[in-house]
Amino acid sequence: MARIVGAITTSHVPAIGRAIARSLQQDPYWKPFFDGFIPVRKWLKQVKPDVAIVLYNDHGLNFFLDKMPTFAVGAAAQYHNADEGWGLPTLAPFTGDQDLSWQLIETLVDEEFDITTCQEMLVDHAFTLPIELLWPGQQRHVRTVPVCINTVQFPLPSAARCFKLGQAIGRAVEAWDADERVVVIGTGGLSHQLDGKRAGFINKEFDLMFMDKLPTDPLWATRYSILDLVELAGTQGVELLMWLAARGALLGEVSTLHSNYHIPISNTASGLMLMENA
Ligand code: DHB
Ligand code: FE
């Protein structure tokens, strides 16, 4: 049977792609951010996951306001990246795992999640940059299954619903009849707001509390409505829903192996956590 080896949660910001393209990892602005990934990459080299389920929010590349699924699961053999207008280099396609995709899709529908199934799917910076950070350059052998949660157009799914989605993903993986190691990645957040009067808003106190609670008391965050989360973390800070979903996939007791918090990266409070089933 397949096994979830752990969950990694991280922020995603387009500027990271530019920093990678220009090899700025040692630059004083970037070093505290990139150094946070060293222990996680070491862990990945040890546990060698075969597949990554990547929970992220698309920002208008694959889904636009005319058609916006609440939850969408990729079921393609390959996922192409494309120009989002940030001036980032377009990356080579990412290899899918259609067997795991359909295992997720069938389990989620069976558990009454009304998902959208995507046999073609473009992946944006929220998918590509965390993978580049975790498996830089030539080292990327991992297969991928993208899972999108809408954080772009209201109404958004609640924190409780996203956590339950993650739990259902965890059960789907554990029931997958394959000798495979699966890592779950959640990308987004932490606090940031890109537009309006509060542009540049960051809430360190809330972020650190959220990170503190996530491993051992993930339901703490589900007390907040989406509007509460917008107030506390910013309009784009609601991307932290991906962290809750990724944490939900760890079905046992959870321990934290690594965490890093650094503000700001571009307009965003960047956070990173590595959690394992204890
Ligand atoms: C930024 C952050 C994001 O989450 C995003 O999707 C785009 C930009 C930023 O801080 O610049
Ligand atoms: Fe984003």
Side-chain angles (χ1 to χ4, degrees):
M1 283 300 180
R3 190 165 70 85
I4 295 193
V5 292
I8 300 166
T9 55
T10 173
S11 306
H12 62 235
V13 175
I16 299 163
R18 215 168 306 128
I20 293 172
R22 293 178 188 167
S23 301
L24 295 179
Q25 286 87 342
Q26 297 303 316
D27 180 274
Y29 179 88
W30 287 102
K31 190 172 168 48
F33 170 79
F34 281 102
D35 280 358
F37 285 84
I38 295 169
V40 186
R41 283 202 293 270
K42 200 179 281 177
W43 178 83
L44 283 169
K45 277 199 175 133
Q46 280 163 8
V47 302
K48 298 185 181 63
D50 304 294
V51 201
I53 296 172
V54 186
L55 290 143
Y56 72 105
N57 57 290
D58 180 87
H59 300 73
L61 180 70
N62 192 68
F63 304 115
F64 202 61
L65 303 181
D66 57 336
K67 298 180 195 73
M68 185 57 69
T70 303
F71 300 124
V73 180
Q78 277 197 330
Y79 300 96
H80 290 263
N81 176 221
D83 184 6
E84 298 172 61
W86 299 102
L88 304 182
T90 303
L91 302 174
F94 293 76
T95 306
D97 185 323
Q98 289 172 298
D99 198 30
L100 177 56
S101 289
W102 287 105
Q103 171 68 13
L104 292 189
I105 290 163
E106 283 174 15
T107 306
L108 290 173
V109 171
D110 195 48
E111 294 207 19
E112 302 180 349
F113 283 91
D114 304 316
I115 52 162
T116 298
T117 300
C118 301
Q119 301 196 53
E120 281 181 21
M121 197 169 183
L122 291 173
V123 288
D124 78 0
H125 69 274
F127 175 98
T128 62
L129 295 178
I131 294 197
E132 279 227 287
L133 287 162
L134 296 169
W135 292 275
Q138 306 305 316
Q139 302 171 29
R140 196 218 301 164
H141 301 297
V142 74
R143 305 190 300 279
T144 56
V145 176
V147 178
C148 281
I149 300 178
N150 167 36
T151 58
V152 170
Q153 178 163 262
F154 279 73
L156 312 188
S158 69
R161 187 73 176 146
C162 293
F163 183 69
K164 285 179 188 164
L165 177 83
Q167 289 178 307
I169 288 172
R171 286 189 289 271
V173 172
E174 290 197 349
W176 185 31
D177 188 13
D179 185 20
E180 304 277 357
R181 291 178 302 276
V182 180
V183 64
V184 180
I185 301 171
T187 97
L190 290 174
S191 62
H192 63 300
Q193 172 144 347
L194 301 179
D195 40 30
K197 280 197 193 132
R198 289 206 310 170
F201 174 78
I202 280 179
N203 187 345
K204 181 176 178 182
E205 194 185 340
F206 174 78
D207 291 338
L208 294 180
M209 180 67 96
F210 177 76
M211 290 175 74
D212 184 54
K213 294 287 187 188
L214 190 67
T216 53
D217 183 14
L219 292 178
W220 174 83
T222 66
R223 73 183 62 192
Y224 295 114
S225 71
I226 291 296
L227 289 181
D228 289 338
L229 290 173
V230 166
E231 182 99 32
L232 286 163
T235 40
Q236 281 73 34
V238 288
E239 292 176 348
L240 60 76
L241 293 173
M242 314 304 147
W243 290 46
L244 271 177
R247 166 62 185 85
L250 300 180
L251 299 174
E253 295 276 300
V254 168
S255 59
T256 305
L257 296 183
H258 176 67
S259 79
N260 188 41
Y261 182 80
H262 176 70
I263 47 178
I265 287 297
S266 186
N267 300 292
T268 298
S270 78
L272 170 66
M273 289 183 81
L274 168 59
M275 290 166 279
E276 213 177 33
N277 274 324

